[in-house]
Amino acid sequence: MSKTFSPTKRFLIKGIMATCLLSVTRVGFAASMAQIIAVRVWPSSTYTRITLESNAKLNYKHAKLHNPDRIVIDIDNLNLNPTLKTISTKVLSRDPFIKSIRALQLDPKTVRLMIELKQGIDPNTFTLPPIAEFKHRLVVDLYPSKPTVTDDDPLLALLEEYQKGELNKKQSQIKSSNKKKNSPIIVMLDPGHGGEDPGAIGYKKTREKDIVLQIARRTYNLLKKEPNVKAYMTRKEDVFIPLNVRVAKARSLHADLFISIHADAFANRSVKGSSVFALSTRGASSSAASYLAQTQNDADQIGGVSRSGDKYLDNTILDLVQKTTLSNGVLLGTAILNRMKKVNKLHKPSIEKAGFAVLKAPDIPSVLVETAFISNINEEQKLKTASFQNQVSKAIVDGIKDYLKRRKN
Ligand SMILES: [Zn+2]
């Protein structure tokens, strides 16, 4: 995608005079320069993301250079402010892809980022419009050009299909397998949010993405002890994964069950309790459920996906949703809810339904567990404790076991 250029050659900034004149008359000269308000680097074993957040949309050009491997990004109309300077301190030595990042003022109107790499990288660079508490963002995702195959995790391949807009097509080719009677039950645990998307944030700044990852890991460890069960996780670390890719990972590994783990939030801090949701193709069971599904489905915009990526599973796949999958989802959710009520007050006495994008695998009974309200001060405190996390994990595992005795085939 990118063209190679000499790093010393300046870019021509087309039409800059016109822009300046307009700015002077309207808002003054200084206001025409964009300001960086935050920089973040999210390393993971699959890919590393760099995010520059700014008060205006950034115009940039990027190039890939070799010997040594590096990426150069020139951003127009930008000053090297103290926030942007901190980017060099944000690179961790354990980052699998980035050796170092330097930011320098190339000329009075251009900032250059030099990203030195540890290996050959295919970058995916895009901008995101403001959403939720985020302003404009410039995102640089760094994927390995030659992935090291260490295990059977299909995540990187699925992320690549997603970027190319080929995920839905490839997914529609996956046939639901006819499993042998004694083959293990495959459970996909899905800790919500991650990376750039923190999920809900508690009064004491506890982040949903951290809590749900801890609970999912505990659940995974409990499931590992169960005979004839194989567990996977959509994410094992603090990384952003689009909703569609989470569903695709479950389908690629022929999961029998999909359990998304979240913590709820509401403006009114007195609201509390646990809830369990199943997919509804006919609308939500309550306006709160519909609102929650909408905000959870926004995760892709908050976590950040480029526009070339596939949209949610389209109707052709949704039309395939089988009645059995939906009714088994309700059965699974009810079994988990019945166990959850022994460890926490319930927010609603029965399972709720809504159109969560993450529950839309056509052939996998899927539920979303809202473990507790992170916006409630007492429940936020509880969510942080190992004892409550263990109780929730055990409730999920016991719920799965109850369901397996009752499910319809
Ligand atoms: Zn959530």
Side-chain angles (χ1 to χ4, degrees), residues 41 48 50 91 95-101 115-116 118 142:
V41 180
T48 289
I50 303 164
V91 179
D95 192 309
F97 309 112
I98 305 177
K99 201 183 276 175
S100 68
I101 308 179
I115 307 165
E116 219 186 309
K118 289 179 177 170
L142 305 172

Side-chain angles (χ1 to χ4, degrees), residues 46-234:
T46 313
Y47 75 102
T48 289
R49 166 169 290 189
I50 303 164
T51 307
L52 303 185
E53 196 176 344
S54 55
N55 64 344
K57 189 180 174 181
L58 298 177
N59 290 314
Y60 65 93
K61 288 178 182 176
H62 68 107
K64 213 161 87 169
L65 305 170
H66 298 288
N67 297 322
D69 283 320
R70 61 205 189 278
I71 292 165
V72 176
I73 301 172
D74 283 358
I75 307 165
D76 293 343
N77 221 28
L78 189 66
N79 270 327
L80 184 59
N81 69 359
T83 307
L84 183 49
K85 272 184 196 157
T86 63
I87 195 163
S88 58
T89 66
K90 305 260 160 124
V91 179
L92 303 181
S93 58
R94 66 170 171 87
D95 192 309
F97 309 112
I98 305 177
K99 201 183 276 175
S100 68
I101 308 179
R102 276 185 303 135
L104 54 99
Q105 191 80 49
L106 191 67
D107 65 43
K109 292 208 137 249
T110 313
V111 164
R112 169 163 291 178
L113 287 186
M114 297 277 287
I115 307 165
E116 219 186 309
L117 303 166
K118 289 179 177 170
Q119 55 174 287
I121 289 293
D122 286 329
N124 183 31
T125 308
F126 54 95
T127 56
L128 295 167
I131 180 162
E133 68 270 34
F134 293 105
K135 302 276 192 288
H136 290 271
R137 285 175 290 170
L138 169 60
V139 176
V140 185
D141 285 346
L142 305 172
Y143 293 92
S145 345
K146 288 195 194 83
T148 41
V149 185
T150 45
D151 53 17
D152 58 354
D153 194 333
L155 184 57
L156 183 63
L158 294 170
L159 285 167
E160 275 167 6
E161 285 172 15
Y162 181 80
Q163 269 180 56
K164 289 183 200 149
E166 290 170 0
L167 186 70
N168 283 347
K169 203 178 83 197
K170 293 261 168 80
Q171 284 290 303
S172 63
Q173 290 159 3
I174 297 178
K175 299 253 163 21
S176 8
S177 60
N178 281 327
K179 290 195 179 165
K180 292 191 196 89
K181 201 123 209 232
N182 291 322
S183 57
I185 301 293
I186 298 172
V187 179
M188 181 60 78
L189 299 170
D190 172 47
H193 314 279
E196 183 76 354
D197 170 20
I201 295 176
Y203 179 74
K204 293 189 173 154
K205 302 275 178 284
T206 312
R207 300 180 300 189
E208 180 186 359
K209 66 171 184 176
D210 299 327
I211 298 292
V212 297
L213 180 59
Q214 289 159 8
I215 294 173
R217 281 180 179 149
R218 291 179 196 277
T219 312
Y220 175 86
N221 287 331
L222 284 180
L223 284 172
K224 249 181 18 189
K225 292 180 197 152
E226 290 297 322
N228 217 35
V229 171
K230 185 144 182 51
Y232 292 100
M233 290 165 74
T234 51

Side-chain angles (χ1 to χ4, degrees), residues 193 199 208 262-263 296 370:
H193 314 279
E208 180 186 359
H262 289 256
Q296 294 302 326
E370 293 282 0

